Amino acid sequence: MTDGHVLEDKSHFRGVWVFLEGRAGGLRDVSTQLIGEGRRLADLRGTPLTGILPGHGVDALAERAIGFGLDRVIVVDDPMLEIYRSRPYAQVMAQLVRRQKPEIVLFGASKNGRDLGGRLHAILETGLAADCVKFDIDADGNLDMIRPSFGGKSLAHILCKKHRPQMASVRRNVFVAPPHNPDRRGEIVHERVELSPQDLDAKLLEFDEFTKEGGLRPEEADIVVSGGYGLGDPKNFQLLQDLADRLGGAIAASRKAVDSGWVPKTLQVGQTGMTVRPKLYIAVGISGAVQHLAGMQESDKILVINIDPKAPLFEIADYGIVGDLFEVLPEMIRQLDALKGGGVAGQPALPAEAR
Amino acid sequence: MRIIVCIKQVPKAQELQVDPVTQTLKRVGVPSEINPPDANALEIALTLKDRHPAEVVVLSMGPTSFDESLERAVAMGADRSVLLTDRILGGSDTVPTAYALSETIQKIGGYDLILTGEETTDASTGHVGPGIAGHLDLPQITYVSEVRIVDNTVRARRTAEDGTEWWQTNMPSLCTVNFGCNKPRSPTLTGKIRVKRGGVIVHWSCADVGIDPKKVGLLNSPTIVAKVDTIRLPPRAGRIFSGDAKESVRALLDALIRDRVVAP
Ligand SMILES: Cc1cc2nc3c(=O)[nH]c(=O)nc-3n(C[C@H](O)[C@H](O)[C@H](O)COP(=O)(O)OP(=O)(O)OC[C@H]3O[C@@H](n4cnc5c(N)ncnc54)[C@H](O)[C@@H]3O)c2cc1C
Ligand SMILES: Nc1ncnc2c1ncn2[C@@H]1O[C@H](COP(=O)(O)O)[C@@H](O)[C@H]1O
């Protein structure tokens, strides 16, 4: 095994690092959100904030990243780092950490962020908290890493007292991305890390991009109409879309509906999908598993339509209809149209102040 | 080919309850199951075994009550199982867990493919799979829904944020498997008979495997849970309508409009 530094003196470890992920020439939103929270923590600790950007030809991206609030960016440029791969990226991070000894390292809880963090924490033998939603610094200067536990029923405070760096992954969309300031100045440092061709131990054969739905994104909508396994068939999502159109809302889905191949993965709400906080979340034919709740329980108002009065989601409903969605949805659409005097599809029905 | 599947036994999802006194997960008297994504990982292994000559070994670390899940895995079609069970492992976080499972995998030896679930329903970190790959210095492909063996290489379909990817690695390698990517098969009669005959589970202690006691357990885990806050979600109105669809929709829309959630 490698390091295993159980520390007598932790003061050698200084600075906050955030792992930056690029996408289509820009930064992933979770990375800009990380910079915002990283800035706050670095200021609390009185240390600099550094972005880590492995890749190839990424200097312009590094330059841009500084504008979100970084003091410097460490760029590791190598053709072998062109796309994300577990081993070379973990090698790079492990070597940089050993050289420079940061106190805190943050990752986005994206698929690649978790893939990397999981491998790295075992190599470095240090603590890693997953899916954090909040941070604090405790009285001893440790990072208090706060994450949902027991399926979102509580928040656990995780500390890594004896090991450094303290590492955590951060859920997407819980922190707000800071505005970009093009005038902000920072340093770009190029570091070299030895990689050998054997480090390319995985080959990407094919990539099939998800088609982005043209419509309103659930994360941005005031009303989200979400469908579950109760819909029974992909074509019934049209009913959902019809209702969403009347309300000016977006459609989304449970993982079981997604896994059934009914709707694209990009519409999945929940612990392993997106988090939404609309003014109104309408759950149709969704039972209410804890992993689903994790993505929607902070909605302002929750409306549940389910044939089973014992469906757990009713427990957190503001409004509910116990009934067959195939009767309830067409009836809702009919009555909404009647209220609108014929109603124009696609017009939002929210009061202005709620929009 | 030897495939090792790491499975954990977890409290059944619906029964996840926090003990109000100790603030920890209630485990006693709560029905358990194989962590759902691990059952999907086992199904991938068994499907590979249907197509190629393979031995499927199931590995778990935990108390002897985990035998229940290991027996189920064998009844589903796994060849044999190993339970790493030792008091000193209690309270291990993902670092010692990945270390101890790695050492046990090396003791089993001769492996070509290691499968884990994407994450557990009780700890839900997803760190143990990549942690094992890191310890054993293996190629890793995370979040996969399909695995094929082609010309002695592993090909796996991974679900990323922006699309699906097909990756190829040499063997041995490690894949973490998506929940819900297949329908785990049921135990068969022959499988159950094999379990009845006995000898399908071996129990190993840390000493049996050669695990360093100074690297496992609560005290040797880098992270600790300092405290747990119960979330008090704002109370919800809970106005539930039932009966005739027309009537309940009318009552619902009235309420939504009165509460100014939706405009008339
Ligand atoms: C590691 C892991 C991660 C996960 N991540 C997520 C996640 O991110 N998001 C997520 O959603 N899930 C996630 N899950 C899955 C989760 O545990 C549940 O399996 C899933 O949310 C169930 O989806 P559902 O409610 O659509 O289906 P079901 O639980 O099958 O519920 C279907 C509902 O439809 C109702 N119904 C049926 N017919 C009708 C009708 N005619 N009219 C009205 N109602 C009807 C039924 O009463 C039932 O309540 C995850 C699971 C694991 C193990
Ligand atoms: N105690 C354990 N015994 C066997 N496998 C485990 C154990 N803990 C975790 N795993 C494996 O690692 C995966 C990820 O677990 P986790 O990191 O706890 O979310 C699980 O799906 C299992 O396949």
Side-chain angles (χ1 to χ4, degrees):
Chain A
M1 297 304 98
T2 31
D3 286 319
H5 22 236
V6 177
L7 302 163
E8 272 104 60
D9 182 7
K10 293 183 286 196
S11 63
H12 299 309
F13 288 76
R14 286 196 69 235
V16 177
W17 284 13
V18 293
F19 173 72
L20 302 177
E21 287 179 78
R23 152 144 181 82
L27 284 177
R28 238 179 224 294
D29 55 6
V30 73
S31 292
T32 49
Q33 294 159 9
L34 266 186
I35 297 175
E37 180 62 9
R39 180 76 264 162
R40 191 181 72 86
L41 295 171
D43 292 345
L44 278 173
R45 295 294 293 148
T47 58
L49 177 65
T50 304
I52 311 297
L53 186 60
H56 186 45
V58 288
D59 280 12
L61 188 57
E63 198 66 64
R64 182 166 163 77
I66 286 172
F68 288 104
L70 296 168
D71 297 312
R72 57 172 196 156
V73 179
I74 296 178
V75 171
V76 182
D77 193 296
D78 193 310
M80 282 194 245
L81 301 170
E82 176 103 51
I83 57 166
Y84 175 79
R85 283 193 185 86
S86 316
R87 184 198 295 265
Y89 270 65
Q91 298 287 66
V92 164
M93 290 302 288
Q95 293 196 34
L96 290 180
V97 165
R98 285 178 187 141
R99 260 181 230 166
Q100 305 217 359
K101 304 196 185 334
E103 186 181 23
I104 293 172
V105 183
L106 304 178
F107 305 86
S110 59
K111 297 280 157 93
N112 290 350
R114 281 172 140 225
D115 179 290
L116 173 63
R119 190 173 179 107
L120 184 64
H121 92 304
I123 295 173
L124 295 172
E125 296 188 323
T126 192
L128 171 64
D131 269 340
C132 293
V133 295
K134 209 179 151 195
F135 294 101
D136 268 323
I137 302 289
D138 80 357
D140 302 322
N142 294 305
L143 181 65
D144 184 3
M145 307 179 270
I146 305 169
R147 69 181 299 248
S149 64
F150 309 135
K153 291 191 173 120
S154 48
L155 287 173
H157 293 251
I158 315 281
L159 295 178
C160 172
K161 289 184 173 172
K162 289 186 296 204
H163 297 65
R164 291 292 180 272
Q166 308 160 89
M167 309 207 296
S169 69
V170 172
R171 265 194 86 100
R172 184 167 164 254
N173 287 347
V174 292
F175 297 110
V176 182
H180 186 258
N181 170 9
D183 298 329
R184 188 183 170 88
R185 289 285 156 260
E187 192 189 357
I188 296 184
V189 185
H190 286 90
E191 284 278 335
R192 277 202 55 76
V193 170
E194 278 325 309
L195 292 172
S196 72
Q198 286 91 285
D199 286 320
L200 292 191
D201 63 357
K203 193 160 134 197
L204 182 62
L205 302 174
E206 238 179 272
F207 176 60
D208 237 340
E209 195 164 6
F210 292 134
T211 42
K212 284 265 179 294
E213 296 294 289
L216 185 59
R217 297 281 311 142
E219 294 106 312
E220 292 152 6
D222 282 338
I223 296 186
V224 173
V225 188
S226 193
Y229 197 63
L231 265 76
D233 192 289
K235 68 176 194 299
N236 297 327
F237 269 82
Q238 189 54 48
L239 258 178
L240 232 56
Q241 187 66 60
D242 290 345
L243 178 62
D245 285 346
R246 304 272 184 312
L247 297 168
I251 63 164
S254 75
R255 176 154 174 177
K256 207 158 155 189
V258 170
D259 284 345
S260 306
W262 299 348
V263 282
K265 185 91 188 157
T266 47
L267 293 186
Q268 183 190 315
V269 168
Q271 184 185 308
T272 48
M274 66 185 134
T275 306
V276 295
R277 287 188 200 79
K279 298 214 156 64
L280 177 63
Y281 186 85
I282 308 182
V284 185
I286 297 177
S287 60
V290 286
Q291 293 93 350
H292 189 79
L293 301 189
M296 46 67 72
Q297 65 186 8
E298 287 169 44
S299 304
D300 284 356
K301 293 278 186 269
I302 296 170
L303 161 58
V304 176
I305 299 170
N306 199 305
I307 201 162
D308 174 9
K310 291 206 274 300
L313 203 52
F314 277 121
E315 286 164 29
I316 60 160
D318 295 284
Y319 308 96
I321 291 188
V322 178
D324 185 343
L325 70 94
F326 298 106
E327 290 173 24
V328 174
L329 287 195
E331 188 57 38
M332 266 180 92
I333 291 167
R334 233 183 337 263
Q335 292 195 24
L336 278 170
D337 284 349
L339 279 168
K340 283 206 157 248
V344 192
Q347 278 308 59
L350 267 183
E353 72 273 16
R355 237 177 265 157
Chain B
M1 176 170 58
R2 177 173 290 161
I3 308 172
I4 300 179
V5 188
C6 297
I7 69 170
K8 189 180 183 189
Q9 182 167 306
V10 294
K12 271 209 169 112
Q14 301 84 326
E15 323 278 341
L16 266 181
Q17 276 171 13
V18 184
D19 187 312
V21 183
T22 60
Q23 289 289 327
T24 55
L25 212 55
K26 270 192 199 164
R27 284 177 195 275
V28 195
V30 171
S32 309
E33 61 184 352
I34 298 177
N35 178 49
D38 303 358
N40 297 112
L42 177 59
E43 178 58 32
I44 286 189
L46 296 175
T47 309
L48 288 172
K49 186 181 140 128
D50 291 342
R51 294 188 192 137
H52 307 270
E55 185 198 24
V56 175
V57 183
V58 176
L59 167 62
S60 192
M61 167 181 136
T64 51
S65 57
F66 281 22
D67 280 354
E68 186 190 326
S69 292
L70 293 176
E71 284 176 351
R72 185 177 171 87
V74 171
M76 286 165 72
D79 293 284
R80 60 191 173 99
S81 60
V82 174
L83 179 70
L84 175 66
T85 184
D86 201 314
R87 269 223 185 113
I88 62 170
L89 292 165
S92 293
D93 75 0
T94 56
V95 172
T97 301
Y99 159 70
L101 286 171
S102 301
E103 294 292 307
T104 315
I105 287 167
Q106 272 177 316
K107 162 124 177 147
I108 294 170
Y111 51 88
D112 301 289
L113 178 64
I114 298 167
L115 300 177
T116 73
E118 61 171 300
E119 62 179 51
T120 48
T121 50
D122 57 351
S124 59
T125 74
H127 293 162
V128 170
I132 294 171
H135 271 299
L136 297 176
D137 205 23
L138 299 176
Q140 76 188 46
I141 315 173
T142 47
Y143 304 105
V144 310
S145 292
E146 197 181 334
V147 179
R148 294 185 195 152
I149 306 294
V150 184
D151 302 330
N152 269 313
T153 64
V154 175
R155 293 199 186 165
R157 182 162 55 89
R158 175 178 196 249
T159 313
E161 271 85 4
D162 316 308
T164 52
E165 308 164 338
W166 273 100
W167 287 90
Q168 181 181 28
T169 70
N170 286 329
M171 295 200 276
S173 74
L174 180 143
C175 298
T176 78
V177 173
N178 281 330
F179 167 67
C181 65
N182 55 37
K183 268 209 163 62
R185 63 194 67 187
S186 303
T188 63
L189 189 60
T190 26
K192 285 182 189 160
I193 291 170
R194 281 196 56 225
V195 171
K196 265 252 163 64
R197 283 212 202 101
V200 295
I201 306 179
V202 296
H203 286 181
W204 285 344
S205 67
C206 287
D208 292 336
V209 177
I211 288 167
D212 182 353
K214 287 200 275 314
K215 294 181 95 169
V216 295
L218 183 68
L219 289 175
N220 300 304
S221 293
T223 60
I224 53 154
V225 180
K227 68 173 170 153
V228 177
D229 302 330
T230 337
I231 299 179
R232 304 229 182 281
L233 287 168
R236 301 273 179 184
R239 307 185 53 193
I240 315 293
F241 306 99
S242 56
D244 175 59
K246 204 177 207 153
E247 285 310 310
S248 41
V249 168
R250 180 165 301 137
L252 170 74
L253 290 180
D254 274 354
L256 289 175
I257 291 165
R258 206 170 328 112
D259 299 349
R260 306 184 69 81
V261 179
V262 161

